[in-house]
Amino acid sequence: MTTPTTPSTPPNPPARGRRRAPSRMERAAGRAAALQRPRVLLALLLLLALTCVMLLDGYLRAEVGGDQRVRTGAPAGDVPDEVLDGGPILSFPGGQATTVSVPDKTIVLTFDDGPDPTWTPQVLEILEKYDVPGTFFLVGSMVSRHPGIVRDMVEQGNEVGVHTFTHVDLSYQSQARVTREIEQTQLALAGAAGITTTLFRAPYSSQTDAIDNYSWPVYESLGEDGYTSVFVDTDSDDWKRPGVSKIVEWATPEDGEGASVLFHDAGGERSQTIEALPKYIEKMKAKGYTFTTVSGAMADQQPTGAGPAGGAPGTTGSGDSLQAAHHAATGATLYEGKALVAAVAVAEWTVPALSVGLVIVGVAVMGRFAMMLVLARRHHRQRNRRRFSWGPPVTGPVSVIVPAYNEKECIEATLRSLARSTHPIEIVVVDDGSTDGTAEIAESLGLPGVRVVRQANAGKPAALNNGVRHARYDIVVMMDGDTVFEPDTVRHLVQPLADPSVGAVAGNAKVGNRRTLIGAWQHIEYVMGFNLDRRMYDLLRCMPTIPGAIGAFRREAVLQVGGMSHDTLAEDTDITIALHRAGWRVVYEEHARAWTEAPGSLGQLWSQRYRWSYGTMQALWKHRRCLTDKGPSGRFGRVGMPLVVLFQVVTPVFAPLIDVFTVYSMVFVDFRAALIAWLAVLAVQLVCAAYAFRLDRERYRYLLMMPLQQLAYRQMMYLVLIHSCVTALTGGRLRWQKLKRTGEVGAPAGTTGTGTG
């Protein structure tokens, strides 16, 4: 039987050779797609920014590259003897290697590995108290993280030098890496204090006897660039924490001799250094020593030539070639340095905040898993007890509404599966302006009890409402035009409606095209993510969504809440929440199975999930006032709304933190520990998935796809949700998008039954 509700005739085919003008819906879809592109880019830019922040923070904290090698015992035959035996200050004026010793009765206090937020300010306080200058060889990554300390250091009159950016042994590094280590540290100094420096000290090479054939080319190259390399005569070895008296003793030069002395203001626990430093300064002053900087020592002492770089001794270097260690940063160096410091400041704030978020998300995720397992088990045991009953069996006929728009590939399988129903039904096919002959196919099948209602294209909610108006019975079952029911599906689905408090029932939607990789991933998601959730929400009496593929409703309840609404793209979520607010109970029936065709490509999957997630946000916002609803009808607002927001919006949006921090930890912290932690989380998910598969009596073999799903599929779902959030926050609108169907989901094998009108 065909019941036309609005005068509508199929459009005439375009004349051969003429290009068909795009339809109104096609033009609208094109405009919507154009509007979405900037939001996709914005979402991707946000992810890129987060990734850059994490990489920058890891680079600063973990010395990216993980090169902890320190060269010892290497030959030094290529190093001039005058350098090995010369003073602790090495420069290359005029291309000649020249060493300078510290004048007698003079101390050059040098500090390595800073700045440190705990110890360096205490060192500066001591130096200021005793009016003593210091020369600090700074690690660039530390400078960029603590620029204020460096600024105070320079303003106090101290000198600073380069100690590389990540504290690596440069003798193992390429020329490009050496250049990068120096330039990045100079940028950090420019951003922190507005200066650059000509002083340099290599890590792990405090004395000239540490120069070898591998490191000598580094010093030569830096010398050609105008750098002065600074070594020490006396090492306090304070990093060994030998005790205050030993530190003072080891830092004291022979009587009357000048010395470049090494302390550390970072790199570990430095309380002994802080205690020893005042005692050392007082002791040396009592002996008549004065304190100066490296530049001061160079100005007071005539250098001794060691000949051309890497060659034989030559003439003595000129004092005119010596220049102040600090230079004002200008131009690009200054602005790039400020940008580096600003970026690090963002990373320093962002990463700890994300770490806190990670803990919260981790607790929420683990809590959700625990809640799902406990409540799903309880739900299954409760609903499968022998004596469990909703009331007198529902045996009366029901109306099945099938909205269809261009479903020629699927409509026959859908209707034939309904014709085998063991429960009496009428089938109302609402053709929503199809242009592919869907309505004609439905009519040509000649199946009993099938009515085709035509309407001009108005969208799925309008088609469902039209179907409800034409339904003859008090119970209506709604399904998609690409879905296949088992013979007993309708009978199982309507039984909970024997309870007069139940207004709607969610069925068990299953992926029918699960033989592909994408289908298998969605199959896991449906069984674990959707159906396990529905068991939990059912028991808590706050079911958020009746799936569009399979749901049963009291016609009275649907009409009471105004039918399906066009306000959101998730009309199923919208009406489910509306039913809760109207005082109806919504339950889940696990035995009512429907087989639906899931998207077969990543593009279609993105479109579907984007619409789902954005539509869910729209529905939650539309019903935000349910948070203040009172009485039984306010249960969804008190329980369901917070859980849905937490588990379906907030947690998934921040869930990528788990993966981001896993990669971050693998690269910058501890690969083995991070891998074990990730595998532990995966194991918990596998346990939940295996239990969900057991409840649904599914084959466990699909769980072999789960690790790959976590690596690839889940990341896509994160991007979809983030994209939806960006769209929502920027006030965008999204139109319904029709997915391409193949019709590969047919009636389940082995099902039988007779049609009932």
Side-chain angles (χ1 to χ4, degrees):
M1 178 187 297
T2 303
T3 307
T5 57
T6 57
S8 175
T9 58
N12 294 323
R16 181 171 297 179
R18 294 173 57 190
R19 178 177 296 176
R20 181 178 65 85
S23 67
R24 178 177 59 85
M25 290 192 64
E26 290 171 336
R27 291 195 301 271
R31 289 193 299 270
L35 290 173
Q36 294 310 313
R37 291 190 193 103
R39 297 186 177 96
V40 174
L41 292 176
L42 180 57
L44 292 177
L45 286 175
L46 288 174
L47 286 177
L48 179 61
L50 175 61
T51 301
C52 291
V53 166
M54 299 292 292
L55 288 174
L56 177 59
D57 186 77
Y59 184 70
L60 297 175
R61 295 176 182 273
E63 300 179 5
V64 67
D67 194 345
Q68 303 296 322
R69 296 173 295 175
V70 178
R71 194 184 300 278
T72 58
D78 295 341
V79 185
D81 292 339
E82 290 79 2
V83 171
L84 295 174
D85 300 330
I89 303 173
L90 173 64
S91 60
F92 291 81
Q96 296 178 334
T98 304
T99 63
V100 174
S101 298
V102 178
D104 292 342
K105 287 284 187 174
T106 303
I107 296 293
V108 175
L109 271 180
T110 68
F111 300 86
D112 279 6
D113 299 344
D116 181 275
T118 301
W119 309 111
T120 303
Q122 297 182 56
V123 170
L124 293 176
E125 185 178 348
I126 293 170
L127 297 182
E128 185 176 29
K129 175 181 177 181
Y130 288 95
D131 194 23
V132 169
T135 302
F136 293 81
F137 291 91
L138 306 176
V139 177
S141 60
M142 300 292 287
V143 173
S144 60
R145 291 168 60 192
H146 309 292
I149 299 176
V150 179
R151 193 177 306 115
D152 294 342
M153 184 183 295
V154 173
E155 291 176 354
Q156 189 175 307
N158 300 287
E159 281 187 341
V160 299
V162 173
H163 199 47
T164 74
F165 195 83
T166 60
H167 203 273
V168 293
D169 187 337
L170 294 181
S171 68
Y172 282 105
Q173 311 306 320
S174 65
Q175 181 60 45
R177 174 70 183 271
V178 172
T179 301
R180 188 166 66 250
E181 290 282 332
I182 303 302
E183 289 180 349
Q184 288 174 343
T185 305
Q186 293 283 27
L187 285 178
L189 289 172
I195 63 165
T196 58
T197 181
T198 59
L199 301 182
F200 168 76
R201 175 177 288 164
Y204 313 110
S205 301
S206 60
Q207 296 180 316
T208 55
D209 60 9
I211 305 176
D212 55 40
N213 294 344
Y214 299 97
S215 60
W216 177 241
V218 175
Y219 292 109
E220 287 183 299
S221 176
L222 291 175
E224 292 172 359
D225 292 336
Y227 283 94
T228 297
S229 297
V230 181
F231 299 88
V232 299
D233 300 294
T234 305
D235 191 344
S236 69
D237 281 335
D238 57 341
W239 61 273
K240 298 179 181 177
R241 303 187 69 229
V244 173
S245 60
K246 285 292 185 181
I247 293 174
V248 173
E249 177 186 346
W250 293 346
T252 303
E254 297 292 335
D255 288 343
E257 294 183 0
S260 171
V261 182
L262 174 61
F263 287 87
H264 292 82
D265 65 321
E269 208 278 339
R270 295 290 176 251
S271 60
Q272 290 188 3
T273 301
I274 299 302
E275 188 176 351
L277 190 56
K279 298 181 184 299
Y280 176 74
I281 294 173
E282 292 172 356
K283 175 182 177 180
M284 301 314 295
K285 283 189 172 183
K287 287 188 172 187
Y289 275 78
T290 59
F291 291 83
T292 187
T293 61
V294 171
S295 295
M298 294 174 70
D300 294 340
Q301 187 78 342
Q302 182 71 13
T304 57
T315 60
T316 300
S318 171
D320 293 339
S321 65
L322 302 175
Q323 51 188 320
H326 294 174
H327 301 277
T330 58
T333 300
L334 178 62
Y335 293 109
E336 289 176 13
K338 290 183 178 297
L340 172 62
V341 171
V344 172
V346 172
E348 287 286 292
W349 176 86
T350 302
V351 174
L354 292 178
S355 300
V356 174
L358 174 63
V359 173
I360 296 173
V361 169
V363 171
V365 169
M366 291 298 107
R368 181 191 180 194
F369 286 150
M371 185 183 301
M372 283 195 306
L373 287 175
V374 172
L375 295 182
R377 180 175 182 271
R378 182 177 175 186
H379 178 276
H380 178 76
R381 296 183 65 181
Q382 180 188 93
R383 299 295 166 82
N384 288 275
R385 289 189 311 222
R386 290 185 179 180
R387 297 183 179 180
F388 177 80
S389 173
W390 293 102
V394 177
T395 58
V398 302
S399 299
V400 179
I401 302 171
V402 185
Y405 173 70
N406 289 346
E407 301 284 2
K408 68 177 182 179
E409 296 86 1
C410 311
I411 193 66
E412 180 176 352
T414 298
L415 297 181
R416 290 194 183 280
S417 73
L418 290 173
R420 289 190 286 268
S421 175
T422 59
H423 193 93
I425 61 173
E426 68 156 349
I427 306 169
V428 182
V429 179
V430 183
D431 182 70
D432 187 32
S434 298
T435 59
D436 65 348
T438 297
E440 289 76 8
I441 294 174
E443 292 171 339
S444 67
L445 295 176
L447 297 175
V450 175
R451 285 188 291 150
V452 177
V453 177
R454 297 174 184 266
Q455 67 175 38
N457 181 260
K460 185 178 178 181
L464 290 170
N465 289 334
N466 201 0
V468 171
R469 286 193 293 271
H470 283 82
R472 295 170 176 167
Y473 304 111
D474 294 333
I475 295 177
V476 294
V477 172
M478 298 182 185
M479 65 183 299
D480 289 337
D482 61 352
T483 301
V484 170
F485 278 10
E486 296 178 358
D488 290 335
T489 295
V490 175
R491 179 173 62 84
H492 287 301
L493 185 64
V494 300
Q495 295 310 310
L497 293 169
D499 184 340
S501 68
V502 175
V505 184
N508 187 343
K510 291 187 169 296
V511 174
N513 53 329
R514 60 180 71 171
R515 285 177 291 184
T516 64
L517 183 62
I518 297 177
W521 286 344
Q522 293 176 83
H523 172 49
I524 296 172
E525 182 184 30
Y526 270 61
V527 175
M528 178 186 174
F530 298 158
N531 292 338
L532 209 59
D533 263 354
R534 289 192 180 102
R535 296 177 189 273
M536 175 183 72
Y537 286 123
D538 184 359
L539 212 58
L540 295 175
R541 297 200 174 193
C542 56
M543 180 84 63
T545 303
I546 298 172
I550 175 170
F553 301 82
R554 292 188 191 277
R555 189 168 182 271
E556 167 195 358
V558 174
L559 296 176
Q560 179 184 348
V561 299
M564 295 292 179
S565 172
H566 290 268
D567 294 341
T568 75
L569 290 172
E571 77 289 333
D572 44 8
T573 300
D574 188 356
I575 194 171
T576 305
I577 299 176
L579 290 172
H580 282 295
R581 300 187 69 187
W584 294 99
R585 184 180 172 190
V586 180
V587 301
Y588 171 61
E589 176 49 63
E590 61 184 279
H591 301 294
R593 291 184 289 268
W595 301 82
T596 187
E597 181 177 337
S601 69
L602 292 178
Q604 292 182 19
L605 179 63
W606 180 286
S607 296
Q608 183 195 66
R609 299 311 170 85
Y610 182 32
R611 175 174 58 81
W612 283 6
S613 58
Y614 185 59
T616 298
M617 293 178 191
Q618 288 179 311
L620 294 175
W621 181 252
K622 175 182 176 180
H623 294 282
R624 61 191 181 276
R625 297 188 185 279
C626 72
L627 292 169
T628 58
D629 289 346
K630 306 297 183 182
S633 62
R635 182 172 179 81
F636 183 83
R638 295 190 301 270
V639 181
M641 177 74 84
L643 289 179
V644 173
V645 171
L646 177 62
F647 291 152
Q648 293 183 218
V649 180
V650 177
T651 301
V653 164
F654 290 98
L657 291 177
I658 297 176
D659 298 314
V660 170
F661 270 86
T662 298
V663 175
Y664 174 88
S665 300
M666 286 181 175
V667 175
F668 299 112
V669 185
D670 188 328
F671 178 86
R672 184 171 178 271
L675 180 61
I676 291 174
W678 185 81
L679 291 175
V681 174
L682 178 61
V684 172
Q685 292 176 310
L686 278 171
V687 169
C688 291
Y691 187 66
F693 270 57
R694 177 171 176 261
L695 295 182
D696 270 22
R697 298 181 180 179
E698 291 286 352
R699 295 178 179 179
Y700 293 114
R701 66 180 183 180
Y702 290 100
L703 295 180
L704 295 175
M705 305 284 188
M706 195 165 181
L708 186 58
Q709 184 205 41
Q710 299 300 299
L711 292 174
Y713 180 80
R714 192 174 66 173
Q715 315 310 318
M716 181 179 177
M717 295 301 101
Y718 293 157
L719 291 175
V720 168
L721 188 57
I722 292 172
H723 185 192
S724 301
C725 289
V726 172
T727 302
L729 292 174
T730 55
R733 294 187 63 83
L734 182 67
R735 293 180 179 272
W736 187 280
Q737 300 174 24
K738 170 67 179 175
L739 299 179
K740 182 180 179 180
R741 300 301 185 187
T742 65
E744 62 182 295
V745 179
T751 58
T752 59
T754 58
T756 53

